[in-house]
Amino acid sequence: MKYLEEFSDPVLARKLVDQIHATVTKPWAMMEVCGGQTHTIVRHGIDQLLPDGVEMIHGPGCPVCVTPLEVIDKALEIASQPGVIFCSFGDMLRVPGSGRDLFRVKSEGGDVRVVYSPLDALRLAQQNPDKEVVFFGIGFETTAPPNAMTVYQAKRLGIPNFSLLVSHVRVPPAIEAIMQSPSCRVQAFLAAGHVCSVMGTTEYPPLAEKYAVPIVVTGFEPLDILAGILRTVTQLEQGEHVVENAYRRAVQDEGNPTAKAMLADVFESTDRAWRGIGMIPQSGWRLSERYREYDAEYRFKVRDITTEESTVCRSGEVLQGLIKPHECSAFGTLCTPRNPLGATMVSSEGACAAYYLYRRLETPVEVVTTGG
């Protein structure tokens, strides 16, 4: 296949759906880890095409959504300080902190800028030597290599006024945490192809064996998702639990050795809190001792900021796959993309945003009748 449109071919999609129906004999629950996969599933109604009893559980695969509230508050504190240029991708600007977001800081006079690459922030540091330039580095293994490269370049070029506020998280420890939860219903996983394109697949076989769950690496287009589901239910029906790579056009089992070497140099593993979920041991990265001088948490002395999560927003339960977005009483009423309570409604990859944009499922509706 040469063109992206071919991965949405309705005839091929129908064939895959028919094969899934022919394979399934009992109910199964599987989790797609990536928020991009969630949006494809919801946008194209893939979960509605599956056999009765086959459930897609939406996982914590949205990097914006799992960035903890205390890290947002650290970003707000840093961005509010005079002499700081705070840089971020655009999807972080509307994520609510305890009482405001980065847009509010910008409206109050903070120098908050949207950039399209961490290297843009590094160039700003070169161009503004009298300012402290901070880049908000969030995300899974996919976005970590360019952030690591930028810190590496800052050190190599001797740029002292650049730093990184780090909130990187890793998928395999999250899968382990999900499987260890007493309320876990997940029987299989669709793993995120872009993460595996960086890290490879070698971390997944021990998880598949330990928890007896199939793990199928797949992509993000409708045919990718359906092919991944077919492989997954085939394993479940046959009582197998191995790792399959259904995304070989992008993923090699060994991953990207150059990117992995850069990550190993610049970052080190650390315990990391996930928004709405809590602390997951060794689930994140921080700058290693060699690059600690570029760590914004140390430079701006915000490491001790802690924040209580909202009791109204149930995004944590959504991220753990315990409820669907529309099962939250605030969904579509108190919580909308214009007035979000949590990051899952803000992010372009958030499950709540997907349900709101493509379905508006079971939001409370006032029925008005008139007499006749």
Side-chain angles (χ1 to χ4, degrees):
M1 293 185 179
K2 298 179 181 178
Y3 305 106
L4 186 61
E5 290 79 4
E6 292 181 300
F7 290 93
S8 300
D9 186 303
V11 175
L12 293 178
R14 183 73 261 175
K15 289 181 178 178
L16 286 168
V17 170
D18 290 343
Q19 287 180 272
I20 292 169
H21 277 261
T23 302
V24 170
T25 64
K26 58 185 74 172
W28 301 109
M30 68 189 76
M31 174 178 282
E32 82 278 1
V33 175
C34 176
Q37 293 172 337
T38 299
H39 270 250
T40 296
I41 289 167
V42 176
R43 178 182 180 184
H44 296 278
I46 289 173
D47 51 340
Q48 296 178 325
L49 299 173
L50 300 179
D52 291 342
V54 175
E55 179 186 1
M56 300 304 301
I57 299 174
H58 312 313
C62 163
V64 175
C65 303
V66 300
T67 302
L69 192 60
E70 64 186 43
V71 174
I72 303 298
D73 283 351
K74 290 174 183 178
L76 296 171
E77 173 63 25
I78 294 170
S80 300
Q81 295 189 23
V84 169
I85 300 174
F86 193 88
C87 301
S88 172
F89 295 145
D91 53 2
M92 292 302 300
L93 267 63
R94 293 190 60 245
V95 178
S98 295
R100 54 182 180 162
D101 56 26
L102 286 168
F103 266 131
R104 176 63 65 85
V105 172
K106 184 176 179 66
S107 72
E108 293 170 351
D111 193 347
V112 178
R113 305 190 191 186
V114 173
V115 295
Y116 297 97
S117 164
L119 290 172
D120 292 341
L122 190 61
R123 279 191 287 271
L124 282 172
Q126 291 177 298
Q127 295 164 2
N128 297 272
D130 59 329
K131 302 281 188 179
E132 285 287 338
V133 178
V134 183
F135 181 74
F136 199 178
I138 72 156
F140 289 88
E141 295 94 329
T142 318
T143 56
N147 291 341
M149 173 59 77
T150 303
V151 174
Y152 172 86
Q153 290 282 57
K155 185 177 181 69
R156 186 180 71 85
L157 297 172
I159 303 173
N161 60 322
F162 173 82
S163 58
L164 188 71
L165 179 60
V166 184
S167 187
H168 279 302
V169 289
R170 300 176 55 243
V171 170
I175 289 178
E176 183 136 32
I178 289 165
M179 293 308 302
Q180 290 176 348
S181 171
S183 56
C184 177
R185 299 184 297 112
V186 180
Q187 296 167 290
F189 289 91
L190 297 183
H194 51 10
V195 168
C196 294
S197 70
V198 175
M199 301 304 295
T201 61
T202 56
E203 292 183 274
Y204 294 100
L207 294 171
E209 181 63 29
K210 180 177 181 179
Y211 297 105
V213 289
I215 301 177
V216 177
V217 180
T218 189
F220 309 91
E221 299 304 315
L223 295 188
D224 289 323
I225 301 294
L226 287 169
I229 292 171
L230 176 59
R231 292 195 188 207
T232 303
V233 296
T234 299
Q235 282 200 50
L236 289 168
E237 290 283 337
Q238 294 176 354
E240 298 176 350
H241 48 271
V242 298
V243 176
E244 289 190 66
N245 183 358
Y247 198 42
R248 289 199 176 274
R249 69 181 187 273
V251 174
Q252 304 297 319
D253 290 341
E254 68 275 14
N256 184 322
T258 302
K260 291 166 70 175
M262 179 60 65
L263 292 171
D265 178 37
V266 176
F267 291 127
E268 63 185 20
S269 295
T270 186
D271 299 344
R272 181 68 72 184
W274 294 52
R275 189 168 192 167
I277 297 176
M279 187 67 68
I280 301 178
Q282 297 299 294
S283 66
W285 279 314
R286 65 182 178 187
L287 290 176
S288 63
E289 187 65 36
R290 183 181 175 191
Y291 297 93
R292 192 62 48 81
E293 63 189 294
Y294 296 97
D295 191 323
E297 287 195 43
Y298 286 87
R299 184 172 296 191
F300 293 92
K301 298 180 174 58
V302 295
R303 296 182 65 228
D304 295 332
I305 291 179
T306 57
T307 310
E308 293 291 330
E309 297 280 354
S310 168
T311 58
V312 178
C313 178
R314 299 179 69 186
S315 61
E317 295 170 82
V318 173
L319 291 168
Q320 296 176 71
L322 301 178
I323 64 171
K324 294 292 193 292
H326 64 269
E327 294 173 328
C328 173
S329 61
F331 173 78
T333 54
L334 297 175
C335 183
T336 66
R338 186 177 292 274
N339 295 292
L341 292 178
T344 49
M345 184 62 88
V346 175
S347 171
S348 60
E349 293 189 358
C352 295
Y355 271 60
Y356 189 92
L357 289 172
Y358 300 127
R359 293 186 180 180
R360 305 173 181 262
L361 282 180
E362 299 181 24
T363 55
V365 176
E366 181 180 355
V367 178
V368 179
T369 60
T370 57

